[in-house]
mmCIF file of all heavy atoms in Angstrom:
data_model
loop_
_atom_site.group_PDB
_atom_site.id
_atom_site.type_symbol
_atom_site.label_atom_id
_atom_site.label_comp_id
_atom_site.label_asym_id
_atom_site.label_seq_id
_atom_site.Cartn_x
_atom_site.Cartn_y
_atom_site.Cartn_z
ATOM 1 N N ASP K 1 33.658 13.080 -1.857
ATOM 2 C CA ASP K 1 32.757 11.913 -1.847
ATOM 3 C C ASP K 1 33.548 10.615 -1.795
ATOM 4 O O ASP K 1 33.179 9.656 -1.111
ATOM 5 C CB ASP K 1 31.864 11.918 -3.099
ATOM 6 C CG ASP K 1 30.777 12.960 -3.018
ATOM 7 O OD1 ASP K 1 30.565 13.528 -1.922
ATOM 8 O OD2 ASP K 1 30.139 13.221 -4.060
ATOM 9 N N LEU K 2 34.661 10.574 -2.530
ATOM 10 C CA LEU K 2 35.501 9.371 -2.502
ATOM 11 C C LEU K 2 36.102 9.120 -1.134
ATOM 12 O O LEU K 2 36.297 7.995 -0.718
ATOM 13 C CB LEU K 2 36.629 9.468 -3.566
ATOM 14 C CG LEU K 2 36.208 9.404 -5.036
ATOM 15 C CD1 LEU K 2 37.465 9.477 -5.918
ATOM 16 C CD2 LEU K 2 35.451 8.128 -5.331
ATOM 17 N N ALA K 3 36.431 10.220 -0.447
ATOM 18 C CA ALA K 3 37.092 10.087 0.851
ATOM 19 C C ALA K 3 36.108 9.808 1.977
ATOM 20 O O ALA K 3 36.510 9.351 3.053
ATOM 21 C CB ALA K 3 37.877 11.365 1.172
ATOM 22 N N SER K 4 34.807 10.094 1.756
ATOM 23 C CA SER K 4 33.828 9.903 2.821
ATOM 24 C C SER K 4 33.508 8.424 2.964
ATOM 25 O O SER K 4 33.593 7.667 2.028
ATOM 26 C CB SER K 4 32.555 10.696 2.512
ATOM 27 O OG SER K 4 31.968 10.235 1.313
ATOM 28 N N PRO K 5 33.102 8.020 4.172
ATOM 29 C CA PRO K 5 32.761 6.605 4.422
ATOM 30 C C PRO K 5 31.585 6.165 3.531
ATOM 31 O O PRO K 5 30.634 6.902 3.332
ATOM 32 C CB PRO K 5 32.362 6.573 5.899
ATOM 33 C CG PRO K 5 32.966 7.829 6.475
ATOM 34 C CD PRO K 5 32.978 8.839 5.387
ATOM 35 N N LYS K 6 31.693 4.966 2.975
ATOM 36 C CA LYS K 6 30.640 4.429 2.130
ATOM 37 C C LYS K 6 29.563 3.773 2.992
ATOM 38 O O LYS K 6 29.860 3.209 4.039
ATOM 39 C CB LYS K 6 31.241 3.398 1.141
ATOM 40 C CG LYS K 6 32.320 3.975 0.246
ATOM 41 C CD LYS K 6 31.763 5.102 -0.599
ATOM 42 C CE LYS K 6 32.806 5.667 -1.520
ATOM 43 N NZ LYS K 6 33.880 6.392 -0.836
ATOM 44 N N PRO K 7 28.312 3.865 2.577
ATOM 45 C CA PRO K 7 27.229 3.226 3.352
ATOM 46 C C PRO K 7 27.414 1.721 3.426
ATOM 47 O O PRO K 7 27.870 1.100 2.471
ATOM 48 C CB PRO K 7 25.979 3.604 2.575
ATOM 49 C CG PRO K 7 26.442 3.918 1.196
ATOM 50 C CD PRO K 7 27.799 4.508 1.370
ATOM 51 N N THR K 8 27.105 1.161 4.575
ATOM 52 C CA THR K 8 27.187 -0.275 4.752
ATOM 53 C C THR K 8 26.042 -0.977 4.000
ATOM 54 O O THR K 8 25.081 -0.317 3.570
ATOM 55 C CB THR K 8 27.114 -0.650 6.240
ATOM 56 O OG1 THR K 8 25.817 -0.264 6.726
ATOM 57 C CG2 THR K 8 28.203 0.045 7.021
ATOM 58 N N LEU K 9 26.171 -2.267 3.854
ATOM 59 C CA LEU K 9 25.093 -3.054 3.201
ATOM 60 C C LEU K 9 23.783 -2.873 3.975
ATOM 61 O O LEU K 9 22.724 -2.737 3.377
ATOM 62 C CB LEU K 9 25.463 -4.525 3.134
ATOM 63 C CG LEU K 9 24.428 -5.476 2.563
ATOM 64 C CD1 LEU K 9 24.092 -5.108 1.107
ATOM 65 C CD2 LEU K 9 24.903 -6.926 2.644
ATOM 66 N N TYR K 10 23.866 -2.874 5.291
ATOM 67 C CA TYR K 10 22.692 -2.668 6.133
ATOM 68 C C TYR K 10 22.031 -1.336 5.843
ATOM 69 O O TYR K 10 20.804 -1.245 5.716
ATOM 70 C CB TYR K 10 23.115 -2.750 7.613
ATOM 71 C CG TYR K 10 22.016 -2.501 8.616
ATOM 72 C CD1 TYR K 10 21.031 -3.421 8.803
ATOM 73 C CD2 TYR K 10 22.002 -1.311 9.355
ATOM 74 C CE1 TYR K 10 20.014 -3.200 9.742
ATOM 75 C CE2 TYR K 10 21.013 -1.071 10.279
ATOM 76 C CZ TYR K 10 19.995 -2.018 10.473
ATOM 77 O OH TYR K 10 19.016 -1.798 11.380
ATOM 78 N N GLU K 11 22.835 -0.270 5.691
ATOM 79 C CA GLU K 11 22.294 1.053 5.402
ATOM 80 C C GLU K 11 21.681 1.104 4.026
ATOM 81 O O GLU K 11 20.644 1.744 3.803
ATOM 82 C CB GLU K 11 23.393 2.100 5.549
ATOM 83 C CG GLU K 11 23.839 2.307 7.000
ATOM 84 C CD GLU K 11 25.112 3.158 7.108
ATOM 85 O OE1 GLU K 11 25.887 3.186 6.128
ATOM 86 O OE2 GLU K 11 25.284 3.759 8.162
ATOM 87 N N ARG K 12 22.325 0.441 3.036
ATOM 88 C CA ARG K 12 21.785 0.461 1.687
ATOM 89 C C ARG K 12 20.435 -0.279 1.611
ATOM 90 O O ARG K 12 19.509 0.174 0.957
ATOM 91 C CB ARG K 12 22.787 -0.158 0.707
ATOM 92 C CG ARG K 12 24.031 0.690 0.511
ATOM 93 C CD ARG K 12 24.748 0.317 -0.765
ATOM 94 N NE ARG K 12 25.264 -1.050 -0.763
ATOM 95 C CZ ARG K 12 26.451 -1.410 -0.320
ATOM 96 N NH1 ARG K 12 27.271 -0.494 0.204
ATOM 97 N NH2 ARG K 12 26.847 -2.671 -0.360
ATOM 98 N N VAL K 13 20.348 -1.408 2.301
ATOM 99 C CA VAL K 13 19.067 -2.137 2.328
ATOM 100 C C VAL K 13 18.004 -1.291 3.031
ATOM 101 O O VAL K 13 16.864 -1.228 2.577
ATOM 102 C CB VAL K 13 19.244 -3.503 2.997
ATOM 103 C CG1 VAL K 13 17.880 -4.203 3.181
ATOM 104 C CG2 VAL K 13 20.164 -4.407 2.196
ATOM 105 N N GLY K 14 18.396 -0.642 4.126
ATOM 106 C CA GLY K 14 17.462 0.224 4.852
ATOM 107 C C GLY K 14 16.983 1.378 4.003
ATOM 108 O O GLY K 14 15.795 1.739 4.007
ATOM 109 N N ASP K 15 17.895 1.997 3.249
ATOM 110 C CA ASP K 15 17.529 3.109 2.369
ATOM 111 C C ASP K 15 16.538 2.640 1.317
ATOM 112 O O ASP K 15 15.571 3.324 0.983
ATOM 113 C CB ASP K 15 18.769 3.696 1.689
ATOM 114 C CG ASP K 15 19.645 4.467 2.670
ATOM 115 O OD1 ASP K 15 19.143 4.835 3.754
ATOM 116 O OD2 ASP K 15 20.817 4.708 2.331
ATOM 117 N N PHE K 16 16.793 1.435 0.747
ATOM 118 C CA PHE K 16 15.858 0.912 -0.251
ATOM 119 C C PHE K 16 14.492 0.614 0.374
ATOM 120 O O PHE K 16 13.435 0.885 -0.222
ATOM 121 C CB PHE K 16 16.417 -0.352 -0.888
ATOM 122 C CG PHE K 16 15.448 -1.022 -1.818
ATOM 123 C CD1 PHE K 16 15.138 -0.461 -3.042
ATOM 124 C CD2 PHE K 16 14.826 -2.217 -1.446
ATOM 125 C CE1 PHE K 16 14.226 -1.066 -3.901
ATOM 126 C CE2 PHE K 16 13.903 -2.823 -2.303
ATOM 127 C CZ PHE K 16 13.608 -2.243 -3.528
ATOM 128 N N ALA K 17 14.497 0.042 1.586
ATOM 129 C CA ALA K 17 13.233 -0.295 2.244
ATOM 130 C C ALA K 17 12.354 0.915 2.490
ATOM 131 O O ALA K 17 11.132 0.787 2.629
ATOM 132 C CB ALA K 17 13.529 -1.008 3.586
ATOM 133 N N ARG K 18 12.934 2.113 2.511
ATOM 134 C CA ARG K 18 12.189 3.332 2.763
ATOM 135 C C ARG K 18 11.639 3.968 1.471
ATOM 136 O O ARG K 18 11.084 5.069 1.506
ATOM 137 C CB ARG K 18 13.060 4.319 3.531
ATOM 138 C CG ARG K 18 13.461 3.836 4.923
ATOM 139 C CD ARG K 18 14.334 4.814 5.662
ATOM 140 N NE ARG K 18 14.813 4.247 6.947
ATOM 141 C CZ ARG K 18 15.954 3.598 7.084
ATOM 142 N NH1 ARG K 18 16.755 3.442 6.054
ATOM 143 N NH2 ARG K 18 16.284 3.098 8.261
ATOM 144 N N THR K 19 11.831 3.312 0.355
ATOM 145 C CA THR K 19 11.366 3.864 -0.923
ATOM 146 C C THR K 19 10.040 3.242 -1.332
ATOM 147 O O THR K 19 9.638 2.179 -0.843
ATOM 148 C CB THR K 19 12.401 3.585 -2.030
ATOM 149 O OG1 THR K 19 12.510 2.179 -2.235
ATOM 150 C CG2 THR K 19 13.792 4.151 -1.638
ATOM 151 N N ARG K 20 9.372 3.921 -2.251
ATOM 152 C CA ARG K 20 8.125 3.371 -2.820
ATOM 153 C C ARG K 20 8.413 2.099 -3.594
ATOM 154 O O ARG K 20 7.582 1.198 -3.644
ATOM 155 C CB ARG K 20 7.475 4.389 -3.739
ATOM 156 C CG ARG K 20 6.873 5.585 -3.022
ATOM 157 C CD ARG K 20 6.165 6.498 -4.020
ATOM 158 N NE ARG K 20 5.553 7.638 -3.375
ATOM 159 C CZ ARG K 20 4.885 8.584 -4.008
ATOM 160 N NH1 ARG K 20 4.743 8.503 -5.338
ATOM 161 N NH2 ARG K 20 4.365 9.596 -3.358
ATOM 162 N N ALA K 21 9.586 2.029 -4.219
ATOM 163 C CA ALA K 21 9.948 0.867 -5.015
ATOM 164 C C ALA K 21 9.916 -0.384 -4.137
ATOM 165 O O ALA K 21 9.507 -1.463 -4.603
ATOM 166 C CB ALA K 21 11.333 1.056 -5.642
ATOM 167 N N ALA K 22 10.364 -0.276 -2.883
ATOM 168 C CA ALA K 22 10.366 -1.442 -1.991
ATOM 169 C C ALA K 22 8.938 -1.894 -1.699
ATOM 170 O O ALA K 22 8.653 -3.103 -1.675
ATOM 171 C CB ALA K 22 11.069 -1.076 -0.687
ATOM 172 N N VAL K 23 8.033 -0.953 -1.520
ATOM 173 C CA VAL K 23 6.641 -1.318 -1.255
ATOM 174 C C VAL K 23 6.035 -2.048 -2.435
ATOM 175 O O VAL K 23 5.359 -3.065 -2.310
ATOM 176 C CB VAL K 23 5.834 -0.043 -0.913
ATOM 177 C CG1 VAL K 23 4.331 -0.400 -0.735
ATOM 178 C CG2 VAL K 23 6.360 0.598 0.356
ATOM 179 N N TRP K 24 6.299 -1.510 -3.649
ATOM 180 C CA TRP K 24 5.777 -2.154 -4.843
ATOM 181 C C TRP K 24 6.442 -3.522 -5.084
ATOM 182 O O TRP K 24 5.781 -4.453 -5.566
ATOM 183 C CB TRP K 24 5.970 -1.265 -6.060
ATOM 184 C CG TRP K 24 4.966 -0.153 -6.129
ATOM 185 C CD1 TRP K 24 5.165 1.179 -5.930
ATOM 186 C CD2 TRP K 24 3.557 -0.305 -6.403
ATOM 187 N NE1 TRP K 24 3.995 1.881 -6.045
ATOM 188 C CE2 TRP K 24 2.986 1.003 -6.342
ATOM 189 C CE3 TRP K 24 2.733 -1.375 -6.692
ATOM 190 C CZ2 TRP K 24 1.631 1.226 -6.585
ATOM 191 C CZ3 TRP K 24 1.393 -1.146 -6.914
ATOM 192 C CH2 TRP K 24 0.858 0.135 -6.861
ATOM 193 N N LEU K 25 7.722 -3.633 -4.774
ATOM 194 C CA LEU K 25 8.386 -4.916 -4.929
ATOM 195 C C LEU K 25 7.776 -5.965 -4.007
ATOM 196 O O LEU K 25 7.517 -7.111 -4.420
ATOM 197 C CB LEU K 25 9.884 -4.767 -4.642
ATOM 198 C CG LEU K 25 10.712 -6.091 -4.645
ATOM 199 C CD1 LEU K 25 10.629 -6.737 -6.017
ATOM 200 C CD2 LEU K 25 12.143 -5.821 -4.236
ATOM 201 N N VAL K 26 7.544 -5.594 -2.773
ATOM 202 C CA VAL K 26 6.930 -6.520 -1.821
ATOM 203 C C VAL K 26 5.539 -6.928 -2.291
ATOM 204 O O VAL K 26 5.155 -8.107 -2.244
ATOM 205 C CB VAL K 26 6.871 -5.855 -0.434
ATOM 206 C CG1 VAL K 26 5.888 -6.613 0.492
ATOM 207 C CG2 VAL K 26 8.255 -5.814 0.210
ATOM 208 N N PHE K 27 4.767 -5.953 -2.765
ATOM 209 C CA PHE K 27 3.410 -6.231 -3.270
ATOM 210 C C PHE K 27 3.472 -7.214 -4.440
ATOM 211 O O PHE K 27 2.751 -8.207 -4.494
ATOM 212 C CB PHE K 27 2.740 -4.931 -3.695
ATOM 213 C CG PHE K 27 1.368 -5.101 -4.303
ATOM 214 C CD1 PHE K 27 0.235 -5.103 -3.486
ATOM 215 C CD2 PHE K 27 1.198 -5.268 -5.661
ATOM 216 C CE1 PHE K 27 -1.037 -5.279 -4.027
ATOM 217 C CE2 PHE K 27 -0.065 -5.452 -6.220
ATOM 218 C CZ PHE K 27 -1.188 -5.442 -5.402
ATOM 219 N N ALA K 28 4.339 -6.924 -5.416
ATOM 220 C CA ALA K 28 4.466 -7.774 -6.599
ATOM 221 C C ALA K 28 4.963 -9.181 -6.244
ATOM 222 O O ALA K 28 4.498 -10.180 -6.806
ATOM 223 C CB ALA K 28 5.397 -7.125 -7.622
ATOM 224 N N TRP K 29 5.917 -9.252 -5.329
ATOM 225 C CA TRP K 29 6.463 -10.539 -4.882
ATOM 226 C C TRP K 29 5.334 -11.398 -4.290
ATOM 227 O O TRP K 29 5.181 -12.570 -4.605
ATOM 228 C CB TRP K 29 7.560 -10.270 -3.858
ATOM 229 C CG TRP K 29 8.316 -11.490 -3.361
ATOM 230 C CD1 TRP K 29 7.801 -12.615 -2.771
ATOM 231 C CD2 TRP K 29 9.739 -11.676 -3.425
ATOM 232 N NE1 TRP K 29 8.803 -13.473 -2.430
ATOM 233 C CE2 TRP K 29 10.006 -12.959 -2.832
ATOM 234 C CE3 TRP K 29 10.797 -10.927 -3.884
ATOM 235 C CZ2 TRP K 29 11.298 -13.443 -2.689
ATOM 236 C CZ3 TRP K 29 12.078 -11.430 -3.738
ATOM 237 C CH2 TRP K 29 12.335 -12.680 -3.178
ATOM 238 N N ALA K 30 4.554 -10.771 -3.388
ATOM 239 C CA ALA K 30 3.465 -11.510 -2.721
ATOM 240 C C ALA K 30 2.394 -11.927 -3.714
ATOM 241 O O ALA K 30 1.848 -13.050 -3.644
ATOM 242 C CB ALA K 30 2.865 -10.633 -1.628
ATOM 243 N N PHE K 31 2.073 -11.055 -4.664
ATOM 244 C CA PHE K 31 1.091 -11.395 -5.683
ATOM 245 C C PHE K 31 1.559 -12.595 -6.502
ATOM 246 O O PHE K 31 0.801 -13.546 -6.759
ATOM 247 C CB PHE K 31 0.869 -10.173 -6.610
ATOM 248 C CG PHE K 31 -0.164 -10.422 -7.683
ATOM 249 C CD1 PHE K 31 -1.507 -10.201 -7.450
ATOM 250 C CD2 PHE K 31 0.244 -10.869 -8.945
ATOM 251 C CE1 PHE K 31 -2.454 -10.418 -8.434
ATOM 252 C CE2 PHE K 31 -0.699 -11.086 -9.935
ATOM 253 C CZ PHE K 31 -2.047 -10.879 -9.696
ATOM 254 N N ALA K 32 2.839 -12.543 -6.934
ATOM 255 C CA ALA K 32 3.394 -13.641 -7.734
ATOM 256 C C ALA K 32 3.446 -14.946 -6.964
ATOM 257 O O ALA K 32 3.203 -16.025 -7.504
ATOM 258 C CB ALA K 32 4.769 -13.246 -8.244
ATOM 259 N N GLU K 33 3.769 -14.856 -5.664
ATOM 260 C CA GLU K 33 3.855 -16.072 -4.842
ATOM 261 C C GLU K 33 2.498 -16.750 -4.689
ATOM 262 O O GLU K 33 2.420 -17.973 -4.560
ATOM 263 C CB GLU K 33 4.444 -15.726 -3.464
ATOM 264 C CG GLU K 33 4.877 -16.933 -2.645
ATOM 265 C CD GLU K 33 3.746 -17.510 -1.787
ATOM 266 O OE1 GLU K 33 2.785 -16.729 -1.503
ATOM 267 O OE2 GLU K 33 3.815 -18.684 -1.388
ATOM 268 N N ALA K 34 1.446 -15.961 -4.713
ATOM 269 C CA ALA K 34 0.116 -16.523 -4.573
ATOM 270 C C ALA K 34 -0.332 -17.247 -5.852
ATOM 271 O O ALA K 34 -1.312 -17.993 -5.827
ATOM 272 C CB ALA K 34 -0.902 -15.420 -4.234
ATOM 273 N N LEU K 35 0.418 -17.026 -6.922
ATOM 274 C CA LEU K 35 0.098 -17.706 -8.198
ATOM 275 C C LEU K 35 1.060 -18.837 -8.542
ATOM 276 O O LEU K 35 0.661 -19.919 -8.888
ATOM 277 C CB LEU K 35 0.092 -16.672 -9.328
ATOM 278 C CG LEU K 35 -1.029 -15.649 -9.340
ATOM 279 C CD1 LEU K 35 -0.735 -14.544 -10.323
ATOM 280 C CD2 LEU K 35 -2.362 -16.327 -9.695
ATOM 281 N N TRP K 36 2.376 -18.516 -8.445
ATOM 282 C CA TRP K 36 3.364 -19.504 -8.913
ATOM 283 C C TRP K 36 4.731 -19.360 -8.256
ATOM 284 O O TRP K 36 5.383 -20.362 -8.010
ATOM 285 C CB TRP K 36 3.517 -19.358 -10.438
ATOM 286 C CG TRP K 36 4.445 -20.341 -11.045
ATOM 287 C CD1 TRP K 36 4.173 -21.641 -11.375
ATOM 288 C CD2 TRP K 36 5.842 -20.136 -11.389
ATOM 289 N NE1 TRP K 36 5.278 -22.262 -11.902
ATOM 290 C CE2 TRP K 36 6.318 -21.345 -11.928
ATOM 291 C CE3 TRP K 36 6.689 -19.059 -11.286
ATOM 292 C CZ2 TRP K 36 7.636 -21.498 -12.367
ATOM 293 C CZ3 TRP K 36 8.006 -19.189 -11.738
ATOM 294 C CH2 TRP K 36 8.464 -20.420 -12.262
ATOM 295 N N TRP K 37 5.192 -18.142 -7.997
ATOM 296 C CA TRP K 37 6.521 -17.909 -7.427
ATOM 297 C C TRP K 37 6.721 -18.733 -6.150
ATOM 298 O O TRP K 37 5.866 -18.696 -5.275
ATOM 299 C CB TRP K 37 6.687 -16.420 -7.162
ATOM 300 C CG TRP K 37 8.002 -16.010 -6.581
ATOM 301 C CD1 TRP K 37 8.211 -15.473 -5.339
ATOM 302 C CD2 TRP K 37 9.309 -16.086 -7.189
ATOM 303 N NE1 TRP K 37 9.541 -15.204 -5.130
ATOM 304 C CE2 TRP K 37 10.237 -15.579 -6.246
ATOM 305 C CE3 TRP K 37 9.771 -16.539 -8.404
ATOM 306 C CZ2 TRP K 37 11.615 -15.521 -6.536
ATOM 307 C CZ3 TRP K 37 11.126 -16.477 -8.664
ATOM 308 C CH2 TRP K 37 12.021 -15.967 -7.739
ATOM 309 N N PRO K 38 7.827 -19.454 -6.020
ATOM 310 C CA PRO K 38 7.946 -20.423 -4.927
ATOM 311 C C PRO K 38 8.415 -19.849 -3.587
ATOM 312 O O PRO K 38 8.331 -20.565 -2.588
ATOM 313 C CB PRO K 38 8.993 -21.419 -5.464
ATOM 314 C CG PRO K 38 9.849 -20.600 -6.377
ATOM 315 C CD PRO K 38 8.918 -19.611 -7.011
ATOM 316 N N VAL K 39 8.925 -18.625 -3.533
ATOM 317 C CA VAL K 39 9.488 -18.090 -2.274
ATOM 318 C C VAL K 39 8.505 -17.152 -1.612
ATOM 319 O O VAL K 39 8.047 -16.185 -2.214
ATOM 320 C CB VAL K 39 10.818 -17.360 -2.550
ATOM 321 C CG1 VAL K 39 11.422 -16.877 -1.224
ATOM 322 C CG2 VAL K 39 11.800 -18.261 -3.291
ATOM 323 N N ILE K 40 8.194 -17.405 -0.350
ATOM 324 C CA ILE K 40 7.182 -16.657 0.366
ATOM 325 C C ILE K 40 7.581 -15.195 0.522
ATOM 326 O O ILE K 40 8.757 -14.863 0.620
ATOM 327 C CB ILE K 40 6.936 -17.279 1.782
ATOM 328 C CG1 ILE K 40 8.249 -17.339 2.566
ATOM 329 C CG2 ILE K 40 6.310 -18.646 1.656
ATOM 330 C CD1 ILE K 40 8.082 -17.835 3.985
ATOM 331 N N PRO K 41 6.609 -14.264 0.535
ATOM 332 C CA PRO K 41 6.927 -12.835 0.684
ATOM 333 C C PRO K 41 7.539 -12.520 2.040
ATOM 334 O O PRO K 41 8.251 -11.523 2.173
ATOM 335 C CB PRO K 41 5.576 -12.158 0.493
ATOM 336 C CG PRO K 41 4.556 -13.205 0.817
ATOM 337 C CD PRO K 41 5.154 -14.479 0.367
ATOM 338 N N ASP K 42 7.272 -13.335 3.040
ATOM 339 C CA ASP K 42 7.846 -13.112 4.374
ATOM 340 C C ASP K 42 9.378 -13.052 4.318
ATOM 341 O O ASP K 42 10.006 -12.322 5.090
ATOM 342 C CB ASP K 42 7.453 -14.255 5.334
ATOM 343 C CG ASP K 42 6.008 -14.663 5.219
ATOM 344 O OD1 ASP K 42 5.518 -14.735 4.083
ATOM 345 O OD2 ASP K 42 5.387 -14.920 6.246
ATOM 346 N N PHE K 43 9.960 -13.809 3.403
ATOM 347 C CA PHE K 43 11.415 -13.851 3.244
ATOM 348 C C PHE K 43 11.949 -12.439 2.982
ATOM 349 O O PHE K 43 12.922 -12.008 3.578
ATOM 350 C CB PHE K 43 11.772 -14.781 2.092
ATOM 351 C CG PHE K 43 13.235 -14.783 1.709
ATOM 352 C CD1 PHE K 43 14.137 -15.562 2.408
ATOM 353 C CD2 PHE K 43 13.701 -13.996 0.658
ATOM 354 C CE1 PHE K 43 15.501 -15.568 2.069
ATOM 355 C CE2 PHE K 43 15.032 -13.982 0.298
ATOM 356 C CZ PHE K 43 15.932 -14.768 1.012
#
């Protein structure tokens, strides 16, 4: 495992985007932005 190539940042973000956690994070981010959070969910 140490000798094998490590996933790139792009691959790690992509792996996260394919999880349920990413979907819930996006949902929570958008919900919070509609109330107070200043950064749009599109980001």
